[in-house]
Amino acid sequence: MAAGAGISAGQDAARAPPALPWTVRLQLFGLMATFGATTRRDGTVNRFLFNLLDRRARASARPDGSGVRSADVDVGVGAPRGLWARVFSPSEAGGAPLPVLVYFHGGAFALLSAASAPYDAMCRRFCRQLGAVVVSVNYRLAPEHRCPAAYDDGVDVLLYLASTGLPCIDVPVDFSRCFLAGDSAGGNIAHHVARRWTASATSLESPPPSNPIRLAGIILVQPYFGGEERTDAELRLDGKAPVVTIRGSDWAWRAFLPEGADRNHPAAHMTDENADLADGFPPAIVVIGGLDPLQDWQRRYADVLRREGKAVRVVEYPEAIHAFFFFPVLPDSGRLVTEMKAFMDENSLSETAAA
C-alpha cells in the first residue's frame, strides 16, 4: 500500500507480529540460527561453517520450468578480486529489448551471496514477472572487506556492463532502462552505488567514453540505514519482530563500517548535510514494512530525498516483517513484485517520452 494509505510511525506500537505460516516460521528459524551460529562476538564470521549451512544454487544454462536461465559472469574490472555476478534471462523474449535490473542481495553486509538459494529463487521470479534481465551482484563481504568495498564492486559492475554488455545471453537488453535494486543491506548498497554513479565524472576512475548505462530508477526494499540514536521502532520491536534486532544491527555496522567509525557515518546515516546527491540521481521507490525495526530510518531516508528535490515513492506494508519478500506464500511478496513492475514501467515510459 502506498504512503498515506499505510501506517504512521508509532501506529504499530501495540501490534503483535502476525501469525506466519509454519513454513515461513521454519525458514526464519533456520535463517536466524545460521546467522547466530556463524557470527562471532568479535565482529568476525565463521566462513567455513556459514558456507556449510548456506544452501546454494548452481547457475544453469538450461531453462527452468518458468523459462529462466542463468549464467555466472566474471567481472574483470581493475585488480583481480573474484568479483562476479549471476545473470538471469528469459530463454525466449519478444523483439523489444528488455530492461536490466542490477540487484544487490541483503545479509547484514557480511553474509549470503548471489548463489544463496533464496536469492537465486527470488531473482528468477523477478526475471519472469518483471520481464527484465536480472544481474545479481556477488559483492565482497564484511568484515574482511569493509565499506566502501561493496560500493566499489557495484560501480565496477556498472562499468563492466557499460564497456562489455551481456554477451552471455541471447536476448536484447536496453541499458538506458537500467534499474538498481536491493533489499536490506543491498538496498543501502544500491543507494550508494547510484549516488556514486550519478556524481561528477571525476568520481569514476575510468568512465567509458560512450556510456550506454542510464539509471532509470532505484528500488530499495527495506534498506538498511541507521545511526547512533535508537528510534521508536527499534525500541518497540526489538525482540518482538523476527530477523532484525538492535544487537544484530550493531554487530552488522561494526563489521561493515570503517575501523573506528560509529553508526553516524554517512554510509549508514544519511542526512541533509551528507546526502551529496547529483542532479542525475534517479527516481526511487522505498518499500517499508510495518513490523521492521528499521522502518523509522527508511522513512527518514525518503524524507531526505524529498528535501533534496528527488522523486521518491514510499510503499508501506503494515504487516510486513523484515525479509518478507523471501516468501512467495506471503501476500505482500506478490504485491511487492506488482509495485516494482509498475515503477519500472512508469520510469521506462518517462525515458521513452523524453527521447
Side-chain angles (χ1 to χ4, degrees):
M1 105 181 20
I7 59 172
S8 61
Q11 191 175 341
D12 59 340
R15 184 188 295 118
L20 298 170
W22 71 267
T23 53
V24 173
R25 296 199 305 271
L26 183 62
Q27 291 176 75
L28 285 172
F29 175 82
L31 179 68
M32 298 315 298
T34 298
F35 283 19
T38 57
T39 53
R40 303 185 179 111
R41 291 185 179 182
D42 65 359
T44 61
V45 175
N46 186 331
R47 291 284 173 213
F48 176 77
L49 180 58
F50 185 82
N51 290 337
L52 286 177
L53 298 174
D54 182 29
R55 293 186 304 111
R56 299 196 175 189
R58 293 178 179 271
S60 176
R62 177 178 296 178
D64 62 17
S66 60
V68 175
R69 55 168 50 122
S70 59
D72 291 342
V73 177
D74 291 327
V75 178
V77 177
R81 59 175 182 262
L83 178 59
W84 60 274
R86 180 162 292 182
V87 180
F88 300 84
S89 61
S91 56
E92 296 181 3
L98 299 178
V100 176
L101 182 76
V102 179
Y103 197 86
F104 299 91
H105 67 81
F109 303 101
L111 302 166
L112 301 173
S113 76
S116 295
Y119 279 108
D120 182 272
M122 189 170 70
C123 287
R124 288 179 182 276
R125 192 165 82 246
F126 287 163
C127 176
R128 179 177 70 254
Q129 297 181 359
L130 298 177
V133 170
V134 179
V135 179
S136 182
V137 180
N138 198 67
Y139 57 86
R140 289 172 292 172
L141 299 175
E144 296 89 343
H145 305 283
R146 292 177 175 270
C147 173
Y151 305 160
D152 293 341
D153 289 350
V155 171
D156 280 351
V157 166
L158 292 182
L159 287 168
Y160 172 86
L161 294 175
S163 61
T164 307
L166 288 170
C168 62
I169 64 175
D170 298 327
V171 297
V173 297
D174 181 0
F175 284 118
S176 73
R177 293 187 291 153
C178 183
F179 295 83
L180 302 187
D183 66 90
S184 195
N188 175 293
I189 295 168
H191 162 79
H192 284 284
V193 171
R195 183 187 63 79
R196 293 173 69 170
W197 186 258
T198 55
S200 62
T202 56
S203 68
L204 297 177
E205 292 183 3
S206 303
S210 178
N211 181 10
I213 301 289
R214 169 191 171 267
L215 296 187
I218 58 173
I219 302 168
L220 308 187
V221 183
Q222 299 180 303
Y224 218 103
F225 293 105
E228 286 296 299
E229 174 193 352
R230 302 298 189 194
T231 67
D232 289 344
E234 286 176 309
L235 295 171
R236 184 169 59 250
L237 295 172
D238 189 44
K240 298 182 178 68
V243 184
V244 173
T245 64
I246 288 176
R247 180 179 177 182
S249 287
D250 288 354
W251 182 94
W253 291 123
R254 285 197 304 271
F256 176 68
L257 294 174
E259 292 278 4
D262 65 20
R263 296 189 302 275
N264 285 338
H265 186 280
H269 187 61
M270 197 176 94
T271 65
D272 295 337
E273 291 72 29
N274 67 24
D276 192 25
L277 302 180
D279 290 343
F281 190 85
I285 183 171
V286 181
V287 178
I288 299 173
L291 292 170
D292 182 359
L294 301 176
Q295 61 187 276
D296 290 339
W297 294 114
Q298 294 154 4
R299 293 189 186 98
R300 292 184 190 184
Y301 167 79
D303 288 343
V304 171
L305 293 187
R306 291 190 188 99
R307 288 193 293 271
E308 291 288 313
K310 307 305 179 185
V312 58
R313 181 183 180 193
V314 173
V315 176
E316 299 208 16
Y317 300 117
E319 299 296 322
I321 62 171
H322 195 82
F324 74 93
F325 43 82
F326 270 157
F327 310 107
V329 68
L330 298 179
D332 285 338
S333 180
R335 295 180 186 116
L336 169 64
V337 177
T338 300
E339 291 283 359
M340 292 174 66
K341 174 67 172 171
F343 177 79
M344 293 175 67
D345 288 347
E346 175 186 340
N347 285 283
S348 295
L349 289 173
S350 296
E351 169 62 11
T352 302

